[in-house]
């Protein structure tokens, strides 16, 4: 008999108009890494919120058995009290506070006068940072750390609470390969220390690399649990469970017929908004009609900064260089100029730039192109709904209706709304920044199909992605960016992960 630290039995959770979970069962063995897989909107995050008391007892049906006893959590403190700690999909650290302050925020580390003893706290934080392999001073503000390191601080924080069951909701979605490796290594070490992990991820290669068991959920129901020991933990097997069929290939076929040049960026240089350094340095590139062009680069290479500065100077200062759309020079001074010039930029950061989370799907889709729906300053409400409904169907957005609030959609479905919004501006050039981050395999395929449809209609698409296989799978040409400079331009037929990687690290070597 397996020693189960946790059993969730017949969990059903309903939101107004949505049955998020129906009769879901999950059994987790003590000391294992248990992955949860499923399409966007399948109910993974909801299940973990039920487990951690974010949704308290009484707001769902079914029972949770932890260490052999039925538990009822009235809130997140109750679950933490017994050693269950959740790290959410969106990180929740306070950027202005130090690492130590973040770790001990809200915990009971009080000294003699009921005050927190910061000397002791910093020392304890230092100890925790060492245990997660993070070489940083505990007094450093968290905002100065990259996402990879912030993720480690979250784990250090969980360890400070004496965690027994650690839940990570898409911990590596925003991490580069090196940081992901590091994090997965840490999970293995925690497992060796007897800490049980539940991990949600869309990165199937990582799941197959670390998981002992994988539970697949689809449309709010448990499909199956696959076990490593029985040799069932393979990507093909997980995908079949997730989408209910085999996926023939990851990338849709496309015939490439590049036409005339649509976008030309010449000698583009951008300075950091506050620091005295160039973030983009003399970058030049072109994208032709019917072409998908990729930008590959490591974190900090300046990919997003390049895109945002082109998009109406939404980033940086002292911007110089020239921009052309269809051979005509444009000088966009702000985002709306850029949109008028036919450029759209779908951001990787849905929460801050991409969407208005308190508005519904309809308003988000129409937001960047209200002019198309207005006569004499009045928005045609029926038309607005019709447009949004069209995207909801064609993009397969999981939501009861276009009046559903975007903040309540699952992460992947929010991303589809971002795309819809920019497609509706009918751009000549669509710049996509990490378009499939946090997106499930099936939906990725749908997004690639949408990209193909766009270029077939003669548009130009520029894609920034940290996933080299993705760039290799969908692009015609790939530029590499390193330390703000274009270090290579490779037709996809000649590109490999190895030669791209070499070009992506070129400037660094020169600088070293
Ligand atoms: N607070 C809420 N109010 C209404 N509906 C919600 C709420 N939270 C989630 N939902 C709905 O419940 C379903 C499951 O969402 P959930 O966030 O659990 O999906 P997920 O599997 O984590 O997806 P993703 O991979 O995109 O993160 C979705 O249809 C979602 O829109
Ligand atoms: Mg989720």
């Amino acid at each position: 008999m397996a020693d189960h630290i946790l059993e969730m039995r017949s969990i059903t959770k309903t939101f107004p108009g949505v049955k998020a979970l129906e009769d879901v069962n999950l059994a987790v063995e003590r000391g294992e890494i248990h992955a949860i897989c499923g399409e966007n909107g399948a109910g993974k995050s909801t299940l973990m919120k039920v487990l951690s008391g974010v949704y308290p007892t009484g707001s769902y049906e079914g029972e949770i058995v932890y260490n052999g006893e039925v538990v009822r959590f009235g809130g997140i403190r109750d679950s933490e009290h017994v050693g269950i700690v959740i790290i959410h999909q969106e990180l929740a650290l306070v950027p202005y506070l130090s690492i130590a302050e973040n770790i001990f925020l809200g915990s009971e580390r009080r000294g003699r006068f009921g005050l927190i003893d910061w000397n002791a706290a910093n020392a304890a934080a230092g100890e925790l940072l060492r245990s997660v392999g993070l070489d940083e001073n505990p007094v450093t503000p968290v905002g100065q750390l990259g996402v990879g390191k912030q993720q480690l601080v979250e784990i250090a924080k969980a360890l400070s609470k004496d965690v027994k069951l650690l839940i990570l909701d898409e911990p590596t979605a925003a991490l580069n390969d090196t940081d992901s490796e590091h994090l997965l290594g840490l999970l293995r070490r925690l497992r060796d220390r007897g800490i049980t992990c539940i991990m949600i991820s869309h990165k199937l290669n990582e799941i197959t690399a670390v998981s002992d068991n994988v539970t697949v959920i689809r449309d709010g129901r448990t499909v199956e649990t696959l076990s490593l020991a029985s040799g069932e933990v393979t990507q093909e097997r997980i995908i079949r469970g997730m989408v209910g069929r085999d996926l023939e290939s990851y990338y849709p076929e496309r015939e490439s017929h590049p036409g005339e040049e649509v976008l030309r960026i010449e000698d583009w240089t951008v300075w950091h908004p506050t620091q005295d350094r160039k973030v983009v340095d003399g970058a030049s590139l072109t994208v032709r009609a019917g072409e998908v062009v990729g930008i590959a680069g490591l974190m900090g290479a300046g990919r997003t900064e390049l895109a945002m500065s082109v998009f109406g100077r939404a980033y940086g200062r002292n911007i110089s260089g020239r921009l052309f759309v269809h051979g005509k020079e444009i000088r966009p001074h702000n985002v709306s100029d850029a949109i008028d010039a036919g450029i759209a930029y779908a951001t990787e950061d849905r929460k801050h730039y991409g969407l208005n989370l308190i508005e519904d799907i309809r308003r988000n889709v129409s937001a960047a192109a209200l002019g198309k729906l207005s006569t004499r300053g009045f928005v045609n409400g029926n038309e607005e709904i019709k447009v949004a409904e069209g995207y909801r169907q064609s993009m397969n957005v999981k939501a009861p209706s276009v009046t559903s609030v975007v903040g309540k959609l699952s992460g992947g479905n929010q991303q589809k709304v971002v795309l819809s919004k920019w497609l509706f501006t009918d751009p000549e050039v669509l710049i996509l920044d990490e378009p499939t981050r946090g997106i499930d395999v099936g939906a990725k395929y749908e997004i690639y199909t949408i990209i193909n449809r766009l270029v077939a209609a003669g548009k130009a698409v520029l894609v920034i992605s940290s996933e080299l296989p993705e760039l290799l799978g969908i692009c015609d040409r790939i530029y590499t960016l390193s330390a703000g400079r274009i270090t290579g331009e490779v037709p996809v037929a000649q590109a490999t992960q190895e030669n791209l990687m070499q070009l992506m690290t070129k400037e660094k070597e020169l600088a070293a």
Side-chain angles (χ1 to χ4, degrees):
M1 266 278 296
D3 174 17
H4 287 138
I5 185 170
L6 171 78
E7 280 183 68
M8 296 183 79
R9 294 182 185 153
S10 196
I11 304 289
T12 294
K13 167 79 188 163
T14 321
F15 296 110
V18 187
K19 198 159 221 178
L21 298 171
E22 186 163 12
D23 194 19
V24 169
N25 295 293
L26 173 70
V28 177
E29 289 167 30
R30 192 178 308 282
E32 71 158 325
I33 297 178
H34 194 115
I36 298 188
C37 289
E39 293 183 307
N40 297 126
K44 305 177 295 294
S45 295
T46 304
L47 186 66
M48 292 303 107
K49 286 178 185 168
V50 165
L51 171 57
S52 55
V54 173
Y55 299 135
T57 301
S59 70
Y60 60 88
E61 290 155 47
E63 66 183 10
I64 302 174
V65 178
Y66 181 66
N67 284 326
E69 281 174 27
V70 175
V71 286
R72 295 185 183 81
F73 300 138
I76 195 154
R77 284 196 165 246
D78 293 349
S79 63
E80 286 190 352
H81 191 71
V82 297
I84 300 175
V85 180
I86 183 166
I87 299 177
H88 289 284
Q89 205 161 351
E90 262 97 32
L91 293 181
L93 300 172
V94 186
Y96 307 107
L97 296 183
S98 72
I99 296 177
E101 286 166 330
N102 268 286
I103 290 180
F104 295 115
L105 198 71
S107 83
E108 326 286 293
R109 202 169 248 301
R110 314 244 167 232
R112 262 201 323 189
F113 304 106
L115 299 170
I116 294 186
D117 175 352
W118 282 112
N119 283 333
N122 284 335
E127 193 69 29
L128 289 164
L129 292 184
R130 267 190 293 285
S131 72
V132 298
L134 183 57
D135 186 18
E136 291 286 339
N137 191 329
V139 301
T140 309
V142 157
Q144 289 179 15
L145 306 176
V147 259
K149 290 182 173 175
Q150 291 196 20
Q151 194 67 255
L152 296 176
V153 173
E154 288 268 21
I155 295 179
K157 180 170 177 154
L159 294 177
S160 80
K161 294 172 183 162
D162 195 17
V163 58
K164 304 277 191 315
L165 174 60
L166 178 64
I167 306 164
L168 300 123
D169 195 347
E170 299 198 32
T172 62
L175 303 194
N176 62 25
D177 287 350
T178 324
D179 286 345
S180 296
E181 274 297 312
H182 192 101
L183 188 103
L184 297 178
L186 175 60
L187 294 190
R188 289 198 188 94
R189 291 204 303 281
L190 294 179
R191 171 173 62 188
D192 295 341
R193 284 169 53 184
I195 295 174
T196 310
C197 279
I198 298 179
M199 172 169 99
I200 297 176
S201 175
H202 288 293
K203 296 191 178 172
L204 301 184
N205 55 342
E206 295 180 355
I207 290 201
T208 53
V210 296
S211 316
D212 301 292
N213 289 289
V214 179
T215 294
V216 181
I217 54 181
R218 181 163 77 229
D219 291 332
R221 291 164 170 275
T222 327
V223 176
E224 56 191 346
T225 294
L226 308 169
S227 92
L228 182 71
S230 333
E232 296 161 334
V233 177
T234 65
Q235 296 197 34
E236 293 70 32
R237 194 74 174 71
I238 296 171
I239 291 172
R240 203 189 310 156
M242 282 173 62
V243 299
R245 60 186 160 83
D246 286 316
L247 205 61
E248 308 278 297
S249 76
Y250 292 105
Y251 306 102
E253 292 284 327
R254 173 169 64 89
E255 276 184 43
S256 170
H257 303 290
E260 62 173 31
E261 186 183 289
V262 178
L263 175 71
R264 166 179 289 268
I265 300 175
E266 261 181 26
D267 200 15
W268 198 250
T269 297
V270 181
W271 289 75
H272 190 280
T274 56
Q275 298 166 14
D276 190 28
R277 64 184 174 93
K278 290 179 194 171
V279 181
V280 178
D281 192 357
S284 298
L285 61 83
T286 58
V287 190
R288 295 160 66 179
E291 208 183 20
V292 181
V293 170
I295 299 183
L298 299 174
M299 237 184 242
R303 296 166 300 174
T304 294
E305 291 81 357
L306 169 62
M308 284 182 67
S309 57
V310 166
F311 189 51
R313 302 173 176 257
Y315 170 91
R317 91 195 139 83
N318 281 358
I319 299 172
S320 62
R322 302 173 76 186
L323 295 178
F324 300 85
V325 172
H326 285 300
K328 197 169 140 259
E329 180 157 14
I330 57 162
R331 291 187 184 82
H333 290 288
N334 51 43
V335 167
S336 79
D337 286 355
I339 294 173
D340 290 343
I343 301 177
Y345 168 66
T347 161
E348 58 173 338
D349 192 344
R350 305 189 273 270
K351 221 162 102 185
H352 291 109
Y353 305 106
L355 293 174
N356 183 346
L357 295 180
I358 58 170
E359 278 283 15
D360 59 22
I361 296 178
R362 166 191 51 177
R363 292 280 143 75
N364 274 284
V365 170
S366 64
L370 272 180
K372 291 174 69 179
L373 293 168
S374 319
T375 27
R376 287 187 291 270
F378 288 100
V379 176
N380 181 336
N382 288 335
E383 198 53 33
E384 190 182 29
I385 288 183
K386 223 159 71 198
V387 165
E389 186 55 38
Y391 283 108
R392 184 174 79 91
Q393 285 175 15
S394 67
M395 307 280 280
N396 200 6
V397 178
K398 272 195 195 129
S401 88
V402 295
T403 54
S404 303
V405 170
V406 164
K408 293 193 171 157
L409 299 182
S410 77
N413 284 298
Q414 289 183 7
Q415 183 66 0
K416 293 184 190 173
V417 176
V418 173
L419 271 177
S420 307
K421 165 177 169 174
W422 294 110
L423 288 179
F424 182 53
T425 66
D426 193 24
E428 291 304 302
V429 188
L430 179 61
I431 307 175
L432 299 169
D433 199 343
E434 303 285 2
T436 62
R437 177 170 285 173
I439 298 257
D440 70 58
V441 275
K444 272 185 187 160
Y445 194 88
E446 289 168 30
I447 286 177
Y448 302 146
T449 307
I450 291 162
I451 293 176
N452 288 357
R453 238 188 280 148
L454 273 178
V455 291
K459 309 288 183 178
V461 175
L462 187 61
V463 185
I464 296 170
S465 172
S466 301
E467 311 271 324
L468 292 181
E470 174 170 90
L471 291 179
L472 293 169
I474 65 173
C475 294
D476 297 292
R477 273 186 303 135
I478 301 169
Y479 289 97
T480 52
L481 194 66
S482 173
R485 294 197 198 167
I486 302 277
T487 51
E489 177 194 347
V490 194
V492 75
Q494 290 154 31
T496 61
Q497 293 205 45
E498 290 71 31
N499 64 19
L500 290 177
M501 201 45 130
Q502 230 162 34
L503 292 165
M504 284 158 62
T505 47
K506 206 168 167 188
E507 283 287 317
K508 278 217 170 111
E509 279 163 24
L510 290 180

